[in-house]
Amino acid sequence: MSSIHEHLNQLRIIDGHEHLATPQIRKRENHDFFSLMHYLDSDMATAGMARGILGRHSKLSDEEKARQFLTYWERTKNTTYARIFRTAMEDLYDMRDWTVDGIMRVNDKVVAATHNPDWYREVLSEKAGIDLAFTLIQTTRLDYELFRPIMFMDFTFKLRKLQDIQDVERQSGTTVHTLQQYLDAVDTLMHKYVNEGMVATKLGHAYWRTLASGKPSFRDAELAFNRLMGCTLEAGISQEESVPLQDYLIHFIIQRSIAYGLPIQIHTGHHEPSVSANGNIITNSNATSLLPLLAEYGEARFVLLHGGFPYHDAYLSIVKNYPNVYADLTWVYIMSPSAGKRILHQMIEMVPMTKIQAFGGDYNHIEGTYAHLKLAKKIVADVLREKTEAGELDEAEAIHYADRVFRDNLIELYELDIDKKPAAPGAGAR
């Protein structure tokens, strides 16, 4: 093992993007083996399995779920999503018997871990070497010291029904009759989230509309807002009618994020089909559609998630050229390790190291995060070793680069009150 690999294995990191439930939520929902599918469930669905059949609300018994799992495991176990699942199960639960009986035994272990108050710390802190993780579960009340919240803001601008406005009224504790009052309500919510520890805002609208935004006037937005306010609860306005209002609110959220000193994470590239509401229209996610916003808001800090894959060449050019744009490799390694390696090779050659965030597990459960980080560290170490062997970096530069992209950059960008210096050797993914 090279010294670069050794350094990466013991490096304690900041995890920039997750969807991890808190220990309290996981315990309340009594998560089991089948609760850990996440991305693998999507691969199985695209291989023909009925979506939801392995979920908590399925009518199948655990044994029937196990048989369904094994049927579709045979179809999908070549994918990296499946490899990550296997790594998690084998490393953390010593799973070796991939039969119905074996699944039932591991299922009992997973349920026991769910109710173990030390499981999160053991997996995330002790085994994975994560000092802090940002999680998006649509609440700032996390009550867990290893997590910091990021909030999806889409619900504040995905306005199609009167109920959407009333949801913001209720959460902000305000009454809305005009567009200006609605803007004030959104700002009230953002102020509340900041006070409750939110470290960034998140825009995920590429999942349900294009990333491209026009620059409508207040009057244009107000006309759409007033039409919506005149609807009954059951009625609403079309997506086309709502676009001027949505675009105006996207600008507003960016402006308020700047005012609060918050980075803005934006989904770009590949879609997770279980949450996509636009039929997986991947072209809506091309980062080039963001160019007018990136050019207008030079004082913002835009974090473009997922390496823009599969539009990563244009993505890299954007991150290279815009001082206010930061690269983030969340999710990339498990979509395609070989693509992740190619993107990182190009990124090292093109993008200043202070503008890169190397890891976000993007998982719903900590077992996936653990296994994803293990893969990510290997890929990054492999690339850095190849760069040193090619004479493009020396070993000290490669190690400094790793410290930067896995830890220091996130501490600086998100203004975290945490030590930059990694912990002593001995901790980390293994």
Side-chain angles (χ1 to χ4, degrees):
M1 180 182 292
S2 73
S3 58
I4 296 172
H5 284 81
E6 290 176 352
H7 182 79
L8 264 292
N9 281 343
Q10 62 80 38
L11 179 63
R12 300 193 64 83
I13 77 154
I14 308 298
D15 180 341
H17 191 87
E18 296 287 356
H19 299 281
L20 298 173
T22 63
Q24 299 90 334
I25 293 173
R26 175 164 171 162
K27 180 179 179 180
R28 183 173 69 245
E29 295 179 348
N30 198 33
H31 290 191
D32 61 4
F33 174 89
F34 304 102
S35 303
L36 308 186
M37 297 295 106
H38 196 172
Y39 292 118
L40 178 55
D41 187 72
S42 289
D43 273 353
M44 288 182 170
T46 60
M49 185 183 75
R51 187 172 290 282
I53 202 168
L54 301 180
R56 289 192 298 123
H57 303 296
S58 171
K59 295 180 180 179
L60 299 183
S61 68
D62 287 345
E63 289 81 4
E64 289 170 329
K65 287 182 182 178
R67 283 191 283 272
Q68 283 288 320
F69 171 86
L70 290 170
T71 296
Y72 291 96
W73 176 251
E74 288 302 314
R75 300 184 185 187
T76 60
K77 63 184 180 181
N78 60 290
T79 72
T80 307
Y81 290 168
R83 285 177 50 209
I84 290 296
F85 185 79
R86 182 190 289 275
T87 297
M89 293 300 99
E90 293 183 350
D91 283 12
L92 300 176
Y93 296 104
D94 195 30
M95 184 173 185
R96 297 293 183 268
D97 180 10
W98 291 79
T99 66
V100 170
D101 288 343
I103 291 172
M104 289 299 95
R105 286 192 294 271
V106 170
N107 190 53
D108 291 339
K109 291 183 180 181
V110 176
V111 172
T114 290
H115 292 269
N116 177 358
D118 296 324
W119 185 238
Y120 268 54
R121 182 168 294 279
E122 180 180 339
V123 173
L124 293 177
S125 181
E126 296 176 16
K127 293 183 180 294
I130 295 172
D131 279 343
L132 205 63
F134 305 157
T135 190
L136 297 89
I137 55 173
Q138 213 50 25
T139 180
T140 54
R141 299 188 180 278
L142 301 178
D143 297 322
Y144 187 61
E145 66 272 16
L146 292 182
F147 289 168
R148 296 292 183 274
I150 294 176
M151 291 293 287
F152 279 105
M153 297 306 298
D154 292 33
F155 77 99
T156 66
F157 62 90
K158 189 180 182 181
L159 303 183
R160 298 279 300 280
K161 294 185 177 181
L162 191 58
Q163 182 67 51
D164 300 329
I165 295 173
Q166 292 177 342
D167 287 344
V168 172
E169 280 186 304
R170 184 178 62 256
Q171 292 187 49
S172 64
T174 61
T175 301
V176 169
H177 298 289
T178 67
L179 177 56
Q180 184 57 58
Q181 288 174 336
Y182 183 78
L183 298 178
D184 293 341
V186 172
D187 189 42
T188 295
L189 272 181
M190 291 185 68
H191 186 265
K192 173 177 176 286
Y193 295 156
V194 170
N195 287 341
E196 292 172 351
M198 180 173 71
V199 296
T201 51
K202 166 74 185 292
L203 305 182
H205 53 304
Y207 272 116
W208 52 273
R209 52 157 278 172
T210 177
L211 286 175
S213 293
K215 190 66 184 296
S217 66
F218 181 90
R219 178 59 177 161
D220 293 333
E222 188 177 41
L223 288 172
F225 183 86
N226 289 343
R227 282 197 298 274
L228 180 53
M229 286 293 288
C231 292
T232 63
L233 280 177
E234 294 77 17
I237 61 176
S238 68
Q239 170 62 19
E240 183 179 1
E241 290 176 296
S242 183
V243 166
L245 178 57
Q246 293 172 9
D247 287 357
Y248 189 88
L249 290 169
I250 288 170
H251 281 269
F252 179 75
I253 291 163
I254 292 170
Q255 292 162 10
R256 297 313 297 158
S257 296
I258 294 167
Y260 287 116
L262 295 169
I264 305 151
Q265 292 190 352
I266 303 178
H267 178 97
T268 68
H270 189 70
H271 289 175
E272 159 55 14
S274 68
V275 296
S276 181
N278 68 359
N280 290 308
I281 303 174
I282 189 65
T283 49
N284 283 348
S285 300
N286 193 326
T288 57
S289 297
L290 291 168
L291 289 173
L293 289 175
L294 306 181
E296 178 170 355
Y297 295 106
E299 68 274 44
R301 290 174 290 169
F302 293 103
V303 180
L304 304 188
L305 298 171
H306 317 312
F309 178 84
Y311 305 109
H312 45 279
D313 287 326
Y315 172 99
L316 287 169
S317 181
I318 291 168
V319 178
K320 180 177 181 65
N321 288 342
Y322 284 78
N324 58 335
V325 179
Y326 297 80
D328 187 291
L329 290 169
T330 291
W331 197 15
V332 169
Y333 312 103
I334 58 170
M335 283 192 277
S336 169
S338 57
K341 196 170 185 179
R342 290 195 304 273
I343 292 168
L344 185 59
H345 264 292
Q346 291 178 253
M347 195 172 284
I348 291 172
E349 296 160 1
M350 294 178 65
V351 179
M353 71 174 73
T354 52
K355 285 163 57 73
I356 300 169
Q357 299 173 24
F359 182 74
D362 212 9
Y363 263 99
N364 291 341
H365 53 84
I366 60 175
E367 290 85 350
T369 296
Y370 159 84
H372 189 174
L373 179 55
K374 185 176 182 178
L375 175 64
K377 283 187 171 184
K378 181 183 185 305
I379 290 172
V380 175
D382 286 348
V383 170
L384 290 174
R385 185 190 61 197
E386 289 169 13
K387 290 299 189 190
T388 60
E389 290 174 348
E392 298 173 32
L393 296 172
D394 63 35
E395 190 171 282
E397 290 171 332
I399 288 173
H400 176 63
Y401 185 94
D403 291 347
R404 265 280 168 195
V405 301
F406 274 109
R407 185 177 182 89
D408 296 352
N409 289 347
L410 289 98
I411 292 172
E412 291 179 4
L413 181 64
Y414 296 98
E415 300 177 356
L416 303 176
D417 184 17
I418 191 171
D419 191 355
K420 283 187 183 179
K421 186 175 70 173
R430 52 183 182 270

